[in-house]
């Protein structure tokens, strides 16, 4: 009660500020007014997003509501406190941001999705209660320096319309009962760089589902399922991906490409791995499979999604746990090409297997 009263008072001040600037003429439609909007509750959002600068104070977002920022072009958003999202079983997202050339300064603060209240060990694709996705990012620009905490299921869903850099962002879902708590899911991403992210979770650290021109670099993945391209289904195209200088620690898999069988219109091309260090991968160090399904791999491929140009350059060091495979590749005949693993050093576990593709500069 006390908290929401404070939030209301802050909100009223903000509204007044925003309204007093109402008379300034914006030169271009989507350009914000030259004012500073302050958000301390969802009620403040509509007025604040008209401004070029938006400051966000600490507050709690009502359960079952999306904190949606539909920003003016070139807006600068400053997170000035931690945001907590009320817990409820629903689809989400808890937060959505869109706009062109936006700067989102996280200021080292936290967005807490309170996932622990919903984690039941089932995640999103195998039953259990419906859990909200956390943060849909549809902006271009730069986003930095904050922590996405306790995502109920998937953390970031990024589909940026133009160049976006995400830097120094932590994603932490910390419990055994968290499931499908992906760090970053990328779909129709373009010209996207993720740098210095740290992800502690129970599913893919990064999953690249669809996109062109994606760099994942200098990031750390702990405890999840590794850095993945896929899972790829019909009409999803992933190309021009660079995965470099990342550390993948204690994940099920290290570096992975997973595609479903027989998916028209889909492809993966030009993927480069360089300078990555994978340690203690529990299932496989490097895994490229065309027989993926959510329920598990089938071991069979008939028509594979074409995967062309997978290059390990520089030095990638991949070590796996005993019982894990160093390299596991299962392609349909003729659907994998131009694999060159010159820059891959592997150790631990067992060698694994390579099916239906010839890999240059690497032998099991
Ligand atoms: C994040 O923001 C905080 C608050 O402004 C600042 O002290 C800290 O240095 C920033 N961290 C990075 C890595 O930029
Ligand atoms: C990433 O890490 C590499 C190797 O440690 C380093 O040379 C490079 O400067 C780093 N890049 C960024 C953007 O921090
Ligand atoms: C390899 O390709 C052949 C021909 O398409 C196919 O019959 C076989 O099942 C493939 N191997 C696996 C393990 O999928």
């Amino acid at each position: 009660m006390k908290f929401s009263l404070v939030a209301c008072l802050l909100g009223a001040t903000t509204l007044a500020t925003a309204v007093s600037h109402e008379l300034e003429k914006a030169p271009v439609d989507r350009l914000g007014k030259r004012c500073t909007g302050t958000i301390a509750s969802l009620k403040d959002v509509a007025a604040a997003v008209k401004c070029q600068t938006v400051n966000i104070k600490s507050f709690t977002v009502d359960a079952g509501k999306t904190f949606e920022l539909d920003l003016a072009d070139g807006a600068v958003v400053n997170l000035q406190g931690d945001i907590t999202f009320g817990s409820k079983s629903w689809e989400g997202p808890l937060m959505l941001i869109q706009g062109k050339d936006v700067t989102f300064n996280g200021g080292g603060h936290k967005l807490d999705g309170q996932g622990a209240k919903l984690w039941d060990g089932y995640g999103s694709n195998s039953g259990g209660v419906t859990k909200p996705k956390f943060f849909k990012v549809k902006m271009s620009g730069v986003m930095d320096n904050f922590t996405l905490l306790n995502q109920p299921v998937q953390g970031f869903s990024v589909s940026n319309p133009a160049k976006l850099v995400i830097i120094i962002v932590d994603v932490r879902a910390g419990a055994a009962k968290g499931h499908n708590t992906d760090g970053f899911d990328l779909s129709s991403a373009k010209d996207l760089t993720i740098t210095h992210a740290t992800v502690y979770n129970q599913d893919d650290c990064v999953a690249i589902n669809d996109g062109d021109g994606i760099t994942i670099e200098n990031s750390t993945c702990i405890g999840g399922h590794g850095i993945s391209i896929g899972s790829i289904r019909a009409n999803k195209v992933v190309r021009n991906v660079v995965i470099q200088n990342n550390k993948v620690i204690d994940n099920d898999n290290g570096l992975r490409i997973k595609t479903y069988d027989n998916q028209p219109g889909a492809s993966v091309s030009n993927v480069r791995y360089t300078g990555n260090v994978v340690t203690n991968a529990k299932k496989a160090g490097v895994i490229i499979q065309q027989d993926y399904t959510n329920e598990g791999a089938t071991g069979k491929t008939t028509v594979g999604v074409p995967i062309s140009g997978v290059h390990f350059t520089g030095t990638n060091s991949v070590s796996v746990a005993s019982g894990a495979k160093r390299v596991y590749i299962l392609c349909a005949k003729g659907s994998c090409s131009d694999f060159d693993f010159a820059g891959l050093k592997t150790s631990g576990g067992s060698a694994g297997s390579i099916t239906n593709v010839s890999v240059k500069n690497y032998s099991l």
Side-chain angles (χ1 to χ4, degrees), residues 263-321:
Q263 302 291 309
S267 65
V268 175
S269 59
N270 191 21
V271 179
R272 187 158 56 85
Y273 297 96
T274 188
N276 300 289
V277 178
V278 174
T279 49
N280 195 32
K282 292 173 183 139
K283 292 183 175 165
V286 172
I287 169 166
I288 301 175
Q289 60 186 147
Q290 300 199 313
D291 64 336
Y292 183 81
T293 74
N294 244 332
E295 294 70 45
T298 62
K300 283 214 183 82
T301 59
T302 50
V303 184
V305 167
I307 300 175
S308 60
V310 177
H311 296 173
F312 283 79
T313 63
T315 308
N316 295 267
S317 150
V318 171
S319 76
V320 306

Side-chain angles (χ1 to χ4, degrees), residues 6 12 94 163 212 222 225 302:
V6 173
L94 301 179
K163 186 177 173 64
D212 187 354
I222 301 163
H225 293 179
T302 50

